[in-house]
Amino acid sequence: MIKNKELLGVSTAVILLMLLGALRYENFFSAYNLLEFGRYNTMFALISIGMAFVIMAGGIDLSVGTVAALASVVSALVSPYNALGAVLAGTLAGTLCGCINGLMVSRLRIQPFIATLAMTLAAHGLALLLADNQAVSPSYDTSFTEVGQGDRLGVPVPMWILLVMLALAGVAHVYTAFGRHTLAIGGSEEAAKLMGLNVHKNLLLVYALSGTLAGLAGVLLADQGSGQPNEGMGWDLFAISAVVVGGTLLSGGAGSIAATMVGVVLLGLVFNLLNFENGLGQFTLSSYWQSVVRGVFLLVVVLIQAHVLKKRGR
């Protein structure tokens, strides 16, 4: 678990950004902006949950963005035949990619950076082949698009999906052997083996979970627009930034799903504020500034973590 002090710091930053938005922009707290903020950022929240488990286990997953793109293409291609089948196909495509990552890391002992980088290239190439290098429109004849664009009880369906995934992830992290073993492996893999933990199985499950959630994010991407083979670039950086900003150590062995969600909200708010600022017309910031912001956030937090770990003598 992370220290309350770290979570308090991130939460304070979120509150300050929300106050800035409320004071500067007229419609910042409108129902439309809040609901669309939740609908859009659900995709990033899902991949960040998976990334949190991977980083807590001492690994990294650079493939979440391109796996989501591949899943979006798969689900869009299947959507004319069956809505549920399209959701399952996209999600399972992500699971398969995650399992391959897990096998490379746990059984072949390939470094996570290299293994997931290889998957990034493979998933991107496969997505381009399946989509013939163009966006794939989902079918509106089935109920497939209702998953991403529909509302239930006035709340976007993607937010309901996220709430379910959050609840399951929180329980798994805090109350199950899977969560405890993940932290133990991230703290010291050798010590985990000496304790009798099945490190190979746990790492496989961690990467499979990351791939599954990336696949589900890809389904929502297709639902909300189209299957995009070239989408997802930089999503891994968003997820890593959200996890690290939330206080999870890049060295593994500590972390929090709740704090990761606060990190997602923080980064999402920054980009939302940039959009509102563009709307004022006083100056214009292109979407490329989002990558700049992500990079700066990640660099600053990593430097802070390095300082904290040095003080702890870790």
Side-chain angles (χ1 to χ4, degrees):
M1 303 297 289
I2 67 171
K3 291 184 178 298
N4 293 332
K5 172 167 64 172
E6 295 169 321
L7 179 57
L8 178 62
V10 183
S11 301
T12 301
V14 168
I15 293 172
L16 291 175
L17 285 178
M18 293 176 70
L19 288 174
L20 172 63
L23 293 173
R24 183 166 174 78
Y25 311 114
E26 182 179 353
N27 297 316
F28 183 76
F29 273 115
S30 67
Y32 175 80
N33 184 55
L34 293 176
L35 293 177
E36 289 307 307
F37 176 88
R39 189 191 305 273
Y40 176 71
N41 283 286
T42 292
M43 296 182 292
F44 301 112
L46 289 172
I47 62 172
S48 296
I49 293 171
M51 186 69 76
F53 279 101
V54 171
I55 292 178
M56 284 188 283
I60 200 76
D61 189 350
L62 302 179
S63 67
V64 289
T66 53
V67 167
L70 172 62
S72 75
V73 171
V74 170
S75 58
L77 290 173
V78 177
S79 65
Y81 305 100
N82 183 273
L84 179 59
V87 173
L88 293 176
T91 305
L92 288 175
T95 303
L96 177 60
C97 292
C99 287
I100 294 173
N101 281 336
L103 288 172
M104 287 193 290
V105 172
S106 66
R107 292 296 179 182
L108 300 182
R109 308 306 298 168
I110 299 174
Q111 288 295 318
F113 179 88
I114 301 300
T116 58
L117 181 60
M119 178 56 71
T120 297
L121 300 174
H124 186 213
L126 184 56
L128 290 171
L129 287 171
L130 292 175
D132 197 21
N133 198 21
Q134 59 187 349
V136 181
S137 297
S139 174
Y140 285 85
D141 295 331
T142 62
S143 58
F144 174 68
T145 54
E146 284 297 311
V147 178
Q149 301 178 27
D151 297 327
R152 292 293 182 273
L153 302 177
V155 177
V157 173
M159 294 183 67
W160 288 115
I161 294 174
L162 175 60
L163 287 174
V164 172
M165 293 298 107
L166 265 177
L168 293 175
V171 170
H173 174 54
V174 178
Y175 298 107
T176 69
F178 169 72
R180 294 190 294 272
H181 293 176
T182 297
L183 293 174
I185 292 168
S188 172
E189 186 172 323
E190 291 304 318
K193 289 179 179 178
L194 291 174
M195 292 166 58
L197 304 185
N198 192 333
V199 173
H200 297 310
K201 177 182 177 181
N202 209 91
L203 287 176
L204 176 60
L205 289 175
V206 164
Y207 283 94
L209 174 63
S210 180
T212 299
L213 291 174
L216 186 55
V219 171
L220 295 179
L221 174 63
D223 275 323
Q224 296 178 27
S226 60
Q228 296 282 355
N230 289 310
E231 189 60 60
M233 296 298 180
W235 284 26
D236 54 336
L237 183 55
F238 182 104
I240 295 169
S241 299
V243 172
V244 175
V245 166
T248 297
L249 299 176
L250 275 173
S251 55
S256 166
I257 300 301
T260 295
M261 288 302 98
V262 178
V264 172
V265 172
L266 177 61
L267 291 177
L269 278 174
V270 171
F271 305 145
N272 193 234
L273 291 173
L274 289 178
N275 290 332
F276 269 96
E277 197 63 43
N278 287 337
L280 292 180
Q282 296 179 4
F283 59 91
T284 301
L285 296 172
S286 71
S287 60
Y288 300 120
W289 277 99
Q290 294 188 8
S291 295
V292 175
V293 172
R294 290 170 187 162
V296 171
F297 262 93
L298 185 57
L299 176 61
V300 170
V301 175
V302 167
L303 289 174
I304 293 173
Q305 282 197 1
H307 177 69
V308 171
L309 289 174
K310 185 178 181 181
K311 288 180 65 176
R312 293 179 185 172
R314 181 168 177 175

